[in-house]
């Protein structure tokens, strides 16, 4: 029975890690989109290009 408990705990831990990773990824995506919009608004081409590269890299992960 203790083995089942250990497996269950490991699965819960893995699930929690996956949920956290997804939340962090979505947060970073929102940050990038907002920063890209701001760079466009101010005409900051260098920042826009860097941020879009970052966005592509995150989307390709």
């Amino acid at each position: 029975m203790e083995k089942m408990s250990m497996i269950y705990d490991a699965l819960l831990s893995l699930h929690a890690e996956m949920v956290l990773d997804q939340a962090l990824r979505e947060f970073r995506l929102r940050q990038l989109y907002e920063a890209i919009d701001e760079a466009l608004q101010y005409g900051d081409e260098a920042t826009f290009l860097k941020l879009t590269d970052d966005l592509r890299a995150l989307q390709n992960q």
Side-chain angles (χ1 to χ4, degrees):
M1 193 69 166
E2 186 172 320
K3 184 177 181 180
M4 289 295 287
S5 178
M6 289 173 55
I7 292 170
Y8 182 72
D9 289 346
L11 287 174
L12 280 179
S13 177
L14 180 59
H15 187 327
E17 186 176 340
M18 290 170 61
V19 169
L20 180 58
D21 285 346
Q22 182 64 27
L24 290 171
R25 185 176 188 282
E26 289 173 7
F27 177 75
R28 181 64 179 142
L29 282 171
R30 280 193 305 272
Q31 280 185 320
L32 284 169
Y33 280 120
E34 289 175 11
I36 287 168
D37 286 345
E38 189 174 307
L40 284 171
Q41 182 180 2
Y42 292 107
D44 186 347
E45 184 179 355
T47 300
F48 172 80
L49 293 173
K50 185 203 177 307
L51 292 170
T52 54
D53 284 344
D54 292 349
L55 177 62
R56 274 192 290 271
L58 183 61
Q59 290 174 330
N60 288 332
Q61 288 181 346

